[in-house]
Amino acid sequence: MTQASHHTGTGSAQTDRLLEMYRRMRRIRRFEERASDLYRATEIPGFLHLSIGQEASAVGACWPLGPRDGITSTHRGHGHVLAKGLDSASMMAELMGKEAGTCHGRGGSMHIADPGLGIYGANGIVGAGLPIAAGVATAAKLRAAGDVVVAFFGDGAVAQGMFHEAVNLAAVWDLPVVFLCENNHYSEFSPEAEQHRAPLSARAAGYGVEYQHVDGNDVLAVAQTMTGIVARLRAGGGPVLLEAETYRWHGHYEGDPERYRPAEEVAAAKERDPLLVARRQLDAAAADAVDEEIDKEIEAAVDWARSLPEPAPETLHDHVSAPRLPVPEPAPLPAGAEIFRSMDAVRLALEHELAADPAVFVAGIDVGAGGNVFGLTRGLAQAFPGRVRDTPISESAVVGTAVGAAMAGMKPVVEIMYMDFIGVCLDMLLNQAAKLRFMTGGRASMPLVVRTQFGAGRSSGSQHSQSLEAILAHIPGLTVVMPSDPADTYGLLRAAIQDPNPVVFVENRLQYGLKGPRPPADHLIPLGRAKVVREGTDVTLVSWSRMVQDALAAAESLAGEGISVEVIDLRTIAPLDRETVLASLAKTNRLVIAHEAVRDFGVGAELAALAVDEGFWHLDAPVTRVAPPPVPAPYTPSLERVWLPSRDTIAQTLRRIAAV
């Protein structure tokens, strides 16, 4: 998209430059006019948010950008992605839900992306593109290639916490990102004055970033302003907040009755039509020729898209996750191996992957200079300068940075200090990391790891003790891993970092001091594979994380009573290794599940459903769960002891089920 020869000069060059800008604006306008027609005719099946009237800000902002530069967009993003170079035909097919669409019909209007063109996604969540842009900019900074990122957002997104987190992180890290607010003066149905009390200029000062304002209806003004900003960012400048004042002609969505603004206001805004502003400086015949050219292009796109098939039903499961390379189960560790701790396993796995792959970086709250609250990353920031990065206390920005950086080709490993804090950044896991590969038809790669930890039993209270794997496992597209010993922690974490999918890696802090044999440096554990850690014939006992140690202790105590318990360590919660569980159930005919998360609606319930569905004819006894009751984790030890299962409560349940 770079038009370097057009950035300076007068006369003919200036006219040629403006004519090309007009062509790009006309393409956006005509594309959206036809999309509006098709939506009314029910040929476009989903939501449609148009940016008619805002074309100059999109074209002007993208004018100085090259193919390697990135943008993130909004639910009103057709103009942005067209201005960045996406073709109108595949976009029209995407809006119609066709297999040949930009995202194979999986994304639709609000989720168009093509990272190969530097387009890191339109987004259906207000403000979500901002932390993702920070991640793309982080990748650009780490590569030091002079690339920049433009994060488009509307004035309504300023009220989102993600706006604050992303701008603050970008300021702290001096990221090469332009936060471009297309201020059309309405947040959905609400006028700007009812949404904010401070102007963007004041907000920029609060973050310590540069602020500029531009007439968003004057494409030349936007392009000139952006050309200067981009040049400074390429030279190492930090983030800029640019406000482009404009107006949208259509409602918030197609079909919006628009009772919230007078028709006279819209009519007055149309007098500042960006296309008319540009046309006044062009030869009428030249502009008419462009109109005719673009009309033909868009009609051809509509005709082509209409002729295409929708995705075939058998492709429903495509693009949810990237294919995993097969990893063999490692050989048992030899007797007499060196002993190390789970906390050592975490640090050594991170160190190994940082050394092996320059695309890997680590980020999180106090993971750098502080070495992590538990000392797990101590020394890594010094060993890998710039690649072990402290962040503000901004969980959405941390995970959003991972999402953007992963799409831009990096392999981020970010830390959320406690699993309980997943709720603070859930959108970035639920709607971004887990879904972007699917919604972009496989165009977005997502090799990222979110490390976190949990652990009840030490009076940490209700907000620092929760085992929330069921929430995460319920999200298609996420891999959830929970190791139970030091060697598996090392092998699973290395496998997670090498994996092409988003992985939430959950450690138990009460196990950081657990000792076990140290595996060789190349030790890898396959993701999605459970392991039988103790053979047995009478009862199958399934568990994961620290509870596996209690399960093994309970099984050992029952062996003296003549009860043979087979213990399975799930290791990976999602995807669930159903085959290993069912094979064991077929042998023992009894199933007990023990876990630290509260009982109701948990992973244990999923395993019980598996047993009574696919394993029903093998069952000789009720499927039983050993888990805390649906009560928040208590603080006082007297209640926490009652709440949390132990090896004794597991053993009692095994005796009862074995006797049935």
Side-chain angles (χ1 to χ4, degrees), residues 419-420 422 426 429-430 434 452 454 465-482 504 506 544-545 570 572-576 578 593 595-607 625 627-628:
M419 194 180 193
D420 313 71
I422 288 290
L426 187 59
L429 290 169
L430 169 69
T452 190
F454 78 109
S465 302
Q466 297 168 90
S467 186
L468 301 174
E469 64 271 20
I471 293 175
L472 300 171
H474 191 69
I475 302 171
L478 285 187
T479 296
V480 183
V481 177
M482 300 181 73
V504 181
V506 186
W544 53 93
S545 191
L570 282 186
T572 300
I573 308 304
L576 182 63
R578 292 168 167 82
I593 306 128
H595 56 75
E596 193 167 319
V598 294
R599 180 189 63 237
D600 292 17
F601 307 103
V603 178
E606 179 64 28
L607 289 163
R625 292 167 290 167

Side-chain angles (χ1 to χ4, degrees), residues 334-462:
E338 178 186 352
I339 299 299
F340 78 151
R341 301 167 298 175
S342 288
M343 62 189 302
D344 304 320
V346 173
R347 182 181 55 79
L348 290 169
L350 292 172
E351 183 178 54
H352 189 289
E353 295 307 309
L354 282 162
D357 190 343
V360 175
F361 72 92
V362 175
I365 301 160
D366 293 327
V367 301
N372 167 276
V373 69
F374 300 104
L376 304 181
T377 58
R378 199 166 290 154
L380 292 182
Q382 293 74 31
F384 302 94
R387 294 172 60 204
V388 181
R389 307 176 69 87
D390 283 322
T391 69
I393 302 175
S394 303
E395 284 83 2
S396 288
V398 169
V399 181
T401 294
V403 171
M407 280 200 285
M410 306 298 283
K411 294 182 179 177
V413 183
V414 297
E415 178 179 303
I416 299 300
M417 190 179 288
Y418 283 77
M419 194 180 193
D420 313 71
F421 305 165
I422 288 290
V424 181
C425 58
L426 187 59
D427 176 73
M428 283 295 149
L429 290 169
L430 169 69
N431 287 317
Q432 311 304 327
K435 292 185 173 66
L436 281 174
R437 187 176 198 279
F438 179 79
M439 291 192 303
T440 62
R443 286 181 181 266
S445 61
M446 203 57 62
L448 67 88
V449 175
V450 176
R451 280 188 50 252
T452 190
Q453 55 78 26
F454 78 109
R458 297 286 174 84
S459 293
S460 297
S462 299

Side-chain angles (χ1 to χ4, degrees), residues 158 161 163-165 167-169 171-172 200 202-209 241:
V158 176
F163 167 83
H164 161 74
E165 293 192 22
V167 176
N168 186 59
L169 177 71
V172 170
L200 276 176
R203 294 175 186 274
Y207 295 115
V209 302
L241 185 54

Side-chain angles (χ1 to χ4, degrees), residues 7 19 99 179 249 313 322 329 331 347 351 356 362 371 407 434 459 520 588:
H7 289 164
L19 189 64
E99 175 64 39
F179 294 103
W249 295 6
E329 186 71 37
R347 182 181 55 79
E351 183 178 54
V362 175
M407 280 200 285
S459 293
T588 68

Side-chain angles (χ1 to χ4, degrees), residues 82-145:
L82 283 167
K84 188 61 170 68
L86 203 54
D87 71 286
S88 55
S90 70
M91 278 182 59
M92 191 63 77
E94 182 63 28
L95 266 58
M96 291 189 184
K98 302 303 180 72
E99 175 64 39
T102 308
C103 302
H104 299 295
R106 269 68 172 183
S109 169
M110 289 192 289
H111 308 113
I112 292 174
D114 186 350
L117 292 174
I119 299 167
Y120 293 95
N123 210 297
I125 308 298
V126 172
L130 301 174
I132 293 172
V136 179
T138 300
K141 182 158 186 168
L142 288 172
R143 293 193 181 107

Side-chain angles (χ1 to χ4, degrees), residues 207-564:
Y207 295 115
V209 302
E210 179 185 346
Y211 168 83
Q212 291 197 40
H213 180 278
V214 69
D215 180 355
N217 288 346
D218 185 339
V219 70
L220 282 173
V222 178
Q224 181 179 3
T225 301
M226 279 294 295
T227 298
I229 292 172
V230 167
R232 290 198 297 281
L233 263 60
R234 293 201 199 285
V240 175
L241 185 54
L242 174 62
E243 184 174 13
E245 205 159 346
T246 183
Y247 196 88
R248 61 169 162 85
W249 295 6
H250 283 225
H252 168 56
Y253 58 89
E254 289 302 278
D256 176 0
E258 295 189 70
R259 297 189 181 95
Y260 49 89
R261 60 183 184 180
E264 303 80 45
E265 178 183 298
V266 179
K270 289 183 178 181
E271 294 177 8
R272 288 285 297 160
D273 180 351
L275 275 70
L276 290 179
V277 171
R279 245 186 180 274
R280 293 186 189 117
Q281 303 172 66
L282 292 170
D283 176 75
D288 289 344
V290 167
D291 291 352
E292 185 178 352
E293 168 200 335
I294 294 299
D295 287 353
K296 289 178 180 177
E297 174 192 320
I298 300 303
E299 286 311 306
V302 171
D303 291 343
W304 179 72
R306 278 175 170 156
S307 71
L308 300 170
E310 295 179 347
E314 58 268 22
T315 67
L316 172 64
H317 297 275
D318 291 0
H319 312 301
V320 176
S321 297
R324 289 196 159 101
L325 293 175
V327 173
E329 186 71 37
L333 298 177
E338 178 186 352
I339 299 299
F340 78 151
R341 301 167 298 175
S342 288
M343 62 189 302
D344 304 320
V346 173
R347 182 181 55 79
L348 290 169
L350 292 172
E351 183 178 54
H352 189 289
E353 295 307 309
L354 282 162
D357 190 343
V360 175
F361 72 92
V362 175
I365 301 160
D366 293 327
V367 301
N372 167 276
V373 69
F374 300 104
L376 304 181
T377 58
R378 199 166 290 154
L380 292 182
Q382 293 74 31
F384 302 94
R387 294 172 60 204
V388 181
R389 307 176 69 87
D390 283 322
T391 69
I393 302 175
S394 303
E395 284 83 2
S396 288
V398 169
V399 181
T401 294
V403 171
M407 280 200 285
M410 306 298 283
K411 294 182 179 177
V413 183
V414 297
E415 178 179 303
I416 299 300
M417 190 179 288
Y418 283 77
M419 194 180 193
D420 313 71
F421 305 165
I422 288 290
V424 181
C425 58
L426 187 59
D427 176 73
M428 283 295 149
L429 290 169
L430 169 69
N431 287 317
Q432 311 304 327
K435 292 185 173 66
L436 281 174
R437 187 176 198 279
F438 179 79
M439 291 192 303
T440 62
R443 286 181 181 266
S445 61
M446 203 57 62
L448 67 88
V449 175
V450 176
R451 280 188 50 252
T452 190
Q453 55 78 26
F454 78 109
R458 297 286 174 84
S459 293
S460 297
S462 299
Q463 293 179 345
H464 285 72
S465 302
Q466 297 168 90
S467 186
L468 301 174
E469 64 271 20
I471 293 175
L472 300 171
H474 191 69
I475 302 171
L478 285 187
T479 296
V480 183
V481 177
M482 300 181 73
S484 67
D485 63 41
D488 277 9
T489 298
Y490 178 84
L492 286 166
L493 182 52
R494 285 194 60 231
I497 296 170
Q498 294 179 21
D499 196 71
N501 297 292
V503 180
V504 181
F505 191 90
V506 186
E507 302 144 17
N508 189 301
R509 64 178 172 275
L510 273 64
Q511 286 195 299
Y512 282 145
L514 181 67
K515 296 178 180 179
R518 177 173 173 170
D522 62 354
H523 188 67
L524 282 175
I525 301 287
L527 301 181
R529 291 268 299 280
K531 183 180 181 181
V532 177
V533 292
R534 179 188 174 100
E535 299 276 353
T537 57
D538 296 331
V539 185
T540 295
L541 174 57
V542 179
S543 192
W544 53 93
S545 191
R546 186 175 71 94
M547 196 70 67
V548 170
Q549 304 303 325
D550 288 332
L552 287 168
E556 181 65 27
S557 68
L558 290 183
E561 303 174 21
I563 300 173
S564 175

